[in-house]
Amino acid sequence: MDAVSAVPPLPIVPLPEEKSAEALRLLEGLDAPALWWLSGYAAALARHHGGATPRPAASPAREAVAQERLTIVYGSQTGNAKRLAEQLARDAEAAGLAVRLVRAGAYPQRELKAERLLVVVISTQGDGDPPDDARGLVEFLAGKRAPQLADLRYAVLALGDSSYPQFCAIGRRVDARLAELGAVRLLDTGEADVDIETVAAPWLARTLELAREALKPVAARSATVTPLRTAAPLAPASEWTRARPFAAALLANQRIVARDGARDVRHVELSLADSGLAYEPGDALGVWPINPPALVAAVLEATGLDGDAPVRHDGRSLGLRDWLARERELTRLARPFVALHAARARSDDLNRLLAPDRREALAALLASRQPIDLLREYPAAWDAEEFVAALRPLAPRLYSIASSRKAVGDEAHLTVGVVDYEAFGARHVGAASQFLARADDDARVPVYVEPNERFRLPADASRDVVMIGPGTGIAPFRGFVQERRETGAAGRNWLLFGNRHFHSEFLYQTEWQDALRDGSLHRLDLAWSRDGARSYVQDRLREHGRELHAWLDGGAHLYVCGDATRMARDVHAALLDAFVAHGGLERERAEERLLQLAEEGRYARDVY
């Protein structure tokens, strides 16, 4: 259970009526980690103080518990950091250690100085940005209020994507800052690429060993242990996971933009019947793709390698063609491959791009080219085994789910922008989008559900919601509106959508018109970047800044989905302008207000 959607009445307890009411208000809307933290903290207070409640600022109980436990803090954008943090917490509990697992956005920063053993699992987004739920903690650590931490031992597991120049930058920054504040490393920072387990598995195992050495097992002190899950989850756990995906039957694969348009966007419907997979609006569906056969053939031609040749790697033996089709990344270029290929091609041009002062040029290369482009432009001799080892493992692609189970049953709908363009004299395609676009009626798509507890509709259905989703960023909001319609939510729904052309790229146009008519959508504002005056969603935000501020001031929740590199930043700037212009705030105070909304769970972003 990710959040308190309906707080049950308190059982008979030794509390005055007004205290019971205060407790219920405190619990309203908290997510699972926050609830478990409160339960463990309260139990620890009772154990150390016989029920007396000390002042939080100077709590001997907090000091004592902190010295006896392992605290694990995670900052996660897509769920990977959360998954690894939960895994470490489970393993540590099984080893008899007292554990506190807490999301970065919910971590009480004032308690950092009392910690004695801390593990941080944190990802890096886009161009070196922290996950949304970790912004406050990262800024706190970098600021003047961060305490000296001479008594702290710590370890940082950094997650990133080496196709971006700022690989694992946030994890490195957190590690360096903790050391600067006087803390002592348990072990060096783990830096995990998209093949996460390669680095994460041994790093977590070693961290657990060191934690066990630092803490005595406390099986008898269970009051200080923070459980990981509620006793009664909403639905039975599914056997299908990232490592073992479900083969979902394709129900529909429909183009939802004009056929003569420059872009192809698909509405895809998949059956989850008999899988046990469950999702909430805001979650994502992980899709394991197969690389396009034409791209595999082009790579084999460029390298001159035999596709039927057996290749042994990581204890497995497959034909080279199978490695390239199902196991290796062919559409995303990463810095390690550039470095290895530069050495083999003896290319001064590529080697110069790897210099620290050429970061922007390298970023442009990684963003615009695929491995096939380097193979063609800088020929080099590759051995089949070394070539497979040099390429990154194929990773699943996450798509925001564009449906509500309450409306569609055992199905999951996706909105897929098909990547297909000409560059450097050749056609370039996306792995997963092409895989889905060419799927026929008999296709089976390997999928799993990736929960996104940061991107949830408000527990209080009377709250208004503002949804900003240009392009395929509209996907989760289709699910939001379906869910709010099915549950009869009393709050208003405001959608801001933008794309290039009104006539050819108004995604789900008839559905939004029906929603306006039946009252499940209260307001729709549109922006078209290639029509008429050429506007973007951020322009609509500024145009309607007064109304936007009034909605937020009245308790509305704000959601943004789409491109992280430009759109999300432009929208954030427009939101700041609204608070400055219509809230009477200075720029710095407006930034603090948006951060506060994020920490309250009222400003959520699903950006990529």
Side-chain angles (χ1 to χ4, degrees):
M1 189 170 187
D2 295 306
V4 179
S5 57
V7 179
L10 291 174
I12 298 174
V13 293
L15 289 176
E17 184 176 347
E18 66 274 9
K19 291 294 184 182
S20 295
E22 290 178 10
L24 287 172
R25 284 194 295 271
L26 174 64
L27 296 175
E28 181 74 30
L30 294 181
D31 59 12
L35 290 170
W36 283 120
W37 180 85
L38 281 173
S39 68
Y41 177 61
L45 289 180
R47 174 175 174 267
H48 285 273
H49 287 274
T53 303
R55 297 180 64 84
S59 169
R62 184 181 291 114
E63 290 277 352
V65 173
Q67 292 177 12
E68 298 170 350
R69 73 171 176 230
L70 167 64
T71 293
I72 304 170
V73 177
Y74 65 86
S76 186
Q77 192 76 22
T78 61
N80 287 322
K82 177 178 181 289
R83 175 174 56 84
L84 294 173
E86 288 180 337
Q87 177 184 330
L88 177 59
R90 282 193 298 268
D91 293 345
E93 284 182 349
L97 302 183
V99 180
R100 176 166 71 156
L101 174 68
V102 60
R103 178 173 55 84
Y107 181 74
Q109 296 167 1
R110 66 183 180 279
E111 295 186 9
L112 180 60
K113 62 180 180 296
E115 299 287 1
R116 295 297 176 265
L117 188 60
L118 174 69
V119 172
V120 178
V121 185
I122 192 166
S123 60
T124 296
Q125 308 305 312
D127 190 23
D129 296 322
D132 287 341
D133 65 350
R135 287 180 181 274
L137 181 59
V138 171
E139 290 180 9
F140 171 76
L141 286 173
K144 296 179 180 179
R145 291 187 174 88
Q148 290 299 305
L149 302 171
D151 296 325
L152 176 68
R153 285 173 290 177
Y154 75 94
V156 176
L157 177 58
L159 276 58
D161 183 338
S162 60
S163 63
Y164 293 90
Q166 298 282 357
F167 174 63
C168 289
I170 295 300
R172 294 173 182 173
R173 188 191 310 173
V174 169
D175 180 279
R177 181 56 173 162
L178 290 173
E180 187 178 317
L181 294 170
V184 177
R185 290 185 185 89
L186 280 176
L187 74 167
D188 290 340
T189 301
E191 297 185 0
D193 204 341
V194 291
D195 51 331
I196 298 170
E197 300 301 328
T198 303
V199 170
W203 190 94
L204 291 173
R206 179 57 179 156
T207 299
L208 180 57
E209 288 179 13
L210 295 173
R212 293 181 68 177
E213 293 173 8
L215 299 174
K216 295 179 180 179
V218 290
R221 298 202 304 268
S222 59
T224 66
V225 178
T226 301
L228 290 177
R229 289 182 172 82
T230 56
L234 288 175
S238 172
E239 62 179 309
W240 308 107
T241 64
R242 185 182 193 272
R244 188 168 182 263
F246 173 71
L250 181 70
L251 301 175
N253 185 354
Q254 177 185 0
R255 185 179 176 120
I256 56 173
V257 292
R259 294 197 174 277
D260 58 355
R263 294 181 178 180
D264 183 3
V265 178
R266 300 295 179 106
H267 174 75
V268 175
E269 298 181 1
L270 299 168
S271 173
L272 302 182
D274 302 322
S275 69
L277 286 170
Y279 65 87
E280 296 297 323
D283 288 344
L285 200 69
V287 174
W288 280 100
I290 298 173
N291 283 314
L295 178 58
V296 173
V299 169
L300 290 173
E301 180 181 359
T303 58
L305 296 172
D306 179 4
D308 296 324
V311 175
R312 188 165 185 81
H313 179 69
D314 280 347
R316 302 168 60 205
S317 182
L318 297 171
L320 177 59
R321 184 176 286 101
D322 289 334
W323 278 112
L324 297 180
R326 299 176 180 273
E327 303 288 338
R328 301 288 102 174
E329 285 285 359
L330 296 185
T331 61
R332 291 179 174 177
L333 187 61
R335 188 184 192 282
F337 181 80
V338 174
L340 290 170
H341 191 70
R344 285 183 170 272
R346 295 186 174 89
S347 169
D348 292 337
D349 290 343
L350 288 180
N351 277 312
R352 277 194 292 270
L353 287 175
L354 301 170
D357 61 348
R358 300 295 305 280
R359 180 175 294 171
E360 291 186 4
L362 177 61
L365 178 81
L366 298 179
S368 63
R369 302 189 185 223
Q370 296 179 348
I372 185 65
D373 297 314
L374 264 66
L375 295 173
R376 286 169 170 162
E377 188 171 351
Y378 305 98
W382 276 99
D383 170 84
E385 283 78 10
E386 292 174 336
F387 185 59
V388 167
L391 292 167
R392 294 195 305 175
L394 185 64
R397 283 14 177 201
L398 295 180
Y399 289 93
S400 298
I401 298 175
S403 56
S404 161
R405 286 191 301 137
K406 292 182 176 65
V408 304
D410 290 332
E411 298 179 9
H413 298 179
L414 306 178
T415 309
V416 180
V418 181
V419 177
D420 193 337
Y421 62 96
E422 292 287 328
F424 314 111
R427 183 188 180 198
H428 290 65
V429 298
S433 65
Q434 279 291 326
F435 173 62
L436 291 170
R438 68 175 188 266
D440 57 26
D441 291 344
D442 298 324
R444 292 274 178 170
V445 179
V447 301
Y448 64 97
V449 171
E450 186 68 65
N452 187 353
E453 64 184 27
R454 298 176 302 96
F455 208 75
R456 290 276 190 265
L457 282 166
D460 181 354
S462 68
R463 293 290 185 99
D464 298 332
V465 298
V466 180
M467 302 164 285
I468 305 167
T472 55
I474 198 70
F477 304 134
R478 183 175 183 265
F480 276 23
V481 172
Q482 288 181 355
E483 180 85 0
R484 301 264 281 185
R485 178 193 291 125
E486 294 296 321
T487 59
R492 296 174 296 171
N493 303 318
W494 180 1
L495 175 64
L496 296 100
F497 170 71
N499 217 332
R500 298 191 308 171
H501 301 289
F502 168 78
H503 290 292
S504 60
E505 296 177 318
F506 190 171
L507 307 184
Y508 302 113
Q509 177 180 0
T510 58
E511 291 190 23
W512 303 131
Q513 291 170 335
D514 290 343
L516 286 169
R517 279 192 291 268
D518 67 27
S520 54
L521 187 62
H522 298 80
R523 179 166 181 169
L524 175 63
D525 284 287
L526 305 169
W528 309 108
S529 62
R530 299 295 185 272
D531 289 342
R534 298 195 173 192
S535 61
Y536 297 86
V537 288
Q538 57 267 28
D539 299 318
R540 292 290 176 259
L541 289 173
R542 291 188 173 91
E543 181 181 340
H544 303 299
R546 186 177 300 278
E547 297 97 316
L548 174 66
H549 181 266
W551 278 53
L552 294 175
D553 205 38
H557 288 230
L558 177 71
Y559 302 89
V560 181
C561 182
D563 174 52
T565 55
R566 187 168 179 182
M567 181 279 298
R569 293 182 181 182
D570 290 343
V571 165
H572 188 83
L575 294 173
L576 289 176
D577 290 343
F579 277 105
V580 170
H582 305 290
L585 300 179
E586 296 293 333
R587 195 79 176 177
E588 183 176 352
R589 181 69 186 94
E591 284 277 13
E592 292 172 359
R593 178 62 178 140
L594 280 181
L595 180 59
Q596 180 186 358
L597 288 177
E599 291 175 346
E600 292 173 357
R602 290 180 49 210
Y603 175 25
R605 306 194 308 170
D606 182 7
V607 295
Y608 39 83

